Amino acid sequence: MTFTKFCARNFTGLLLLVLSVGLAQAAVFNPKTKTLENGMQVVVVENHRAPVVTNMVWYKVGAMDEPPGKSGLAHFLEHLMFKGTKNLAPGEFSATVARNGGTENAFTTQDYTAYHQSIASDRLELVIKLEAERMVNLRLTPEDIEPERQVVLEERRSRVENNPGARLSEQAMPALYFNHPYRIPVIGWAHEIKGLSQQDIVDFYKTYYAPNNAILVVAGDVKPEKVFALAEKYFGPLPAVDLPERPTWVEPPHEADREVTLRDARVTQPSWSYRMFAPGYHSDDHKRGYALEVLADILSSGSTSRLYRALVVEQKLATSAGAWYDPDQRGPALFGFYLSPREGTDINAVKTALWAEVDHLVKDGVTQDEVDRSIRRMQDNAVLALDSLSRPARTLGAALAIGMTIDDVENWPDRISEVTLEDVNRAARDLLSDHHGGLETRLLPAEKASSKKEKGA
């Protein structure tokens, strides 16, 4: 049971990670889909290489849907979904999956929450039945809630409070987002986790956990007709609910540069990052997203990428340097840069060198060869995705949960192959010509006592 934070580099979601492996002029996963009368979408991807399946239920609700003052609610509920139900004793869900040779887990993000099992294909009916049971029959008792609250708080202590990089990200998000709920951590603030009541959790569960707010995705050694029949049998009788209308969050103009710095004695390698808003798949200029994907790849894909070659190999200023792009989420898309200076090198010098490379790119553009190689590189990775049993379920589930369509996934190879040199250079000019209004973060070692004394003198 995990939460996925929304603030580290390379935090591009599952969609981009796996979609970056498409094949030009060909569909990706060739899924079959059906929507039940109660509104639940069912998606099936056949892969008969081994007699196993990945079964995933995605709920289109995440941390960004929590009421004000109730941070951590979505993630806390995810933990409690492994407790008892009307027809299952506490812990029986996980014990049943394990007894049948399966594995399971779940995760919560800002945008959605997902539950998954990998199990022998002849046990698919069992896990579908279990998921249908906890979709509507979860029992949330104080005896289950209070011990799990301590588990969640301990998870927060171990993953955030004892991790300088995670603490910096958590501190930086409120500076990045003026208005959007992405500014609040997925795992929640400790004082608000402590204050979540049984009624808060029950209300959230009954509001959002319903078939018309969920997607079932099954990938592996199955036939679509069988999965559709099982979905009809177990999920079909569950009633739809009236889902609340959700706010349309819009960020106001960002005009001022912001900087957040965290110093910690455990930091041995300083690092710097910069992030800014960019067009994403949900923006009016969504086609620009495909060009930005190629641009980020040119800047940051491996040891021959522009930034690594310039700052690490040629100028020998940094141990790492690159860019990332995150277009696939319900909220604003982001484009960013990162670097770590070499030992003894001033972090400001490396930052200046990085912006010089960006300015050079904006002025002179990338080359046709770079665009061709980038597109080909992403396409060449297709084999990895097509070989995987779980990636199709994760990719399709993540895409559908944020409002994309199966066509968006299946047509990605064609769309990325249509990106031109001018598309990439125009996207670079529009986004990077005036790199202001973004957020700069620095993770630094603690200052030595002598340095503090000198500053105070």
Side-chain angles (χ1 to χ4, degrees):
M1 290 171 278
T2 60
F3 69 98
T4 301
K5 290 161 52 54
F6 181 77
C7 37
R9 71 156 294 268
N10 282 339
F11 61 104
T12 298
L14 291 168
L15 179 64
L16 179 59
L17 174 66
V18 184
L19 286 186
S20 296
V21 293
L23 286 170
Q25 307 303 318
V28 183
F29 301 121
N30 295 303
K32 302 295 186 295
T33 186
K34 176 180 180 178
T35 300
L36 307 183
E37 288 189 8
N38 58 18
M40 185 173 188
Q41 186 173 7
V42 183
V43 181
V44 185
V45 178
E46 291 185 73
N47 184 334
H48 300 286
R49 295 184 181 183
V52 294
V53 293
T54 294
N55 180 67
M56 300 194 76
V57 175
W58 296 73
Y59 291 94
K60 292 181 272 190
V61 61
M64 67 172 285
D65 302 298
E66 295 161 346
K70 307 293 182 184
S71 67
L73 185 51
H75 174 248
F76 196 178
L77 175 57
E78 176 222 302
H79 275 242
L80 293 168
M81 286 288 284
F82 293 85
K83 301 301 181 182
T85 71
K86 179 180 178 182
N87 298 300
L88 295 171
E92 188 177 349
F93 187 107
S94 297
T96 302
V97 172
R99 190 167 59 248
N100 283 274
T103 59
E104 59 163 350
N105 214 324
F107 52 86
T108 305
T109 74
Q110 291 281 5
D111 299 326
Y112 46 73
T113 308
Y115 302 83
H116 57 95
Q117 303 87 35
S118 293
I119 200 164
S121 52
D122 62 358
R123 309 299 166 91
L124 175 63
E125 180 169 2
L126 171 68
V127 291
I128 287 180
K129 181 180 179 181
L130 290 172
E131 286 290 6
E133 167 70 13
R134 68 177 173 182
M135 178 181 284
V136 294
N137 287 328
L138 187 66
R139 285 190 167 169
L140 295 162
T141 67
E143 291 73 24
D144 289 328
I145 292 173
E146 294 313 316
E148 201 62 31
R149 190 192 309 275
Q150 299 311 311
V151 172
V152 172
L153 288 168
E154 177 54 32
E155 182 180 348
R156 179 182 161 77
R157 281 189 288 271
S158 64
R159 294 194 175 200
V160 179
E161 296 167 14
N162 290 323
N163 182 326
R167 283 171 50 217
L168 173 62
S169 294
E170 189 174 86
Q171 296 289 312
M173 288 304 101
L176 177 62
Y177 295 100
F178 296 160
N179 190 46
H180 199 281
Y182 280 176
R183 67 186 183 279
I184 300 171
V186 172
I187 198 168
W189 301 115
H191 68 283
E192 292 188 349
I193 296 170
K194 293 174 184 175
L196 294 173
S197 69
Q198 180 185 19
Q199 194 60 52
D200 292 332
I201 302 167
V202 170
D203 289 346
F204 196 75
Y205 171 67
K206 289 188 176 297
T207 299
Y208 292 110
Y209 278 58
N212 54 320
N213 199 41
I215 308 153
L216 172 67
V217 187
V218 179
D221 185 26
V222 291
K223 289 292 186 183
E225 296 74 17
K226 178 180 178 180
V227 178
F228 296 151
L230 291 174
E232 291 280 9
K233 180 179 179 180
Y234 293 104
F235 288 107
L238 307 184
V241 302
D242 292 329
L243 295 167
E245 187 172 346
R246 305 187 196 194
T248 301
W249 297 100
V250 178
E251 279 292 307
H254 288 214
E255 298 171 349
D257 291 329
R258 286 141 287 148
E259 179 179 333
V260 176
T261 299
L262 179 74
R263 290 185 177 272
D264 190 289
R266 289 167 292 186
V267 175
T268 57
Q269 177 63 58
S271 61
W272 172 95
S273 76
Y274 187 87
R275 63 198 68 189
M276 67 188 80
F277 294 117
Y281 291 146
H282 284 307
S283 67
D284 294 337
D285 195 12
H286 63 278
K287 290 185 178 178
R288 189 66 56 89
Y290 299 103
L292 289 174
E293 282 188 61
V294 176
L295 175 64
D297 184 80
I298 290 171
L299 285 169
S300 193
S301 183
S303 59
T304 60
S305 62
R306 277 202 173 211
L307 293 178
Y308 190 93
R309 188 176 68 245
L311 303 181
V312 178
V313 178
E314 296 174 355
Q315 300 180 47
K316 303 187 187 313
L317 293 171
T319 58
S320 67
W324 52 263
Y325 174 50
D326 193 5
D328 52 339
Q329 50 203 12
R330 288 163 59 190
L334 295 173
F335 197 98
F337 299 93
Y338 65 91
L339 61 83
S340 288
R342 278 197 173 197
E343 186 175 359
T345 303
D346 180 13
I347 200 169
N348 288 316
V350 193
K351 169 188 161 185
T352 299
L354 182 144
W355 285 128
E357 289 299 320
V358 171
D359 291 342
H360 170 63
L361 181 148
V362 170
K363 178 176 179 290
D364 297 330
V366 301
T367 67
Q368 184 65 56
D369 181 60
E370 287 177 306
V371 172
D372 292 343
R373 283 190 287 117
S374 173
I375 292 174
R376 189 163 57 246
R377 184 164 45 240
M378 289 191 279
Q379 294 171 342
D380 285 346
N381 288 329
V383 175
L384 296 176
L386 297 176
D387 275 350
S388 171
L389 286 174
S390 62
R391 277 187 175 181
R394 286 176 173 263
T395 302
L396 288 161
L400 295 171
I402 64 170
M404 297 178 68
T405 67
I406 287 177
D407 281 347
D408 290 330
V409 176
E410 293 296 290
N411 290 326
W412 182 89
D414 291 339
R415 293 173 183 173
I416 202 71
S417 68
E418 292 169 354
V419 173
T420 67
L421 174 65
E422 180 51 30
D423 290 338
V424 178
N425 285 331
R426 186 188 309 114
R429 288 194 300 271
D430 291 348
L431 183 67
L432 302 174
S433 293
D434 180 17
H435 38 79
H436 293 290
L439 172 69
E440 180 177 324
T441 66
R442 294 169 185 245
L443 184 62
L444 304 174
E447 289 184 304
K448 295 179 181 177
S450 57
S451 299
K452 291 182 179 178
K453 192 173 180 180
E454 288 170 5
K455 284 186 176 180

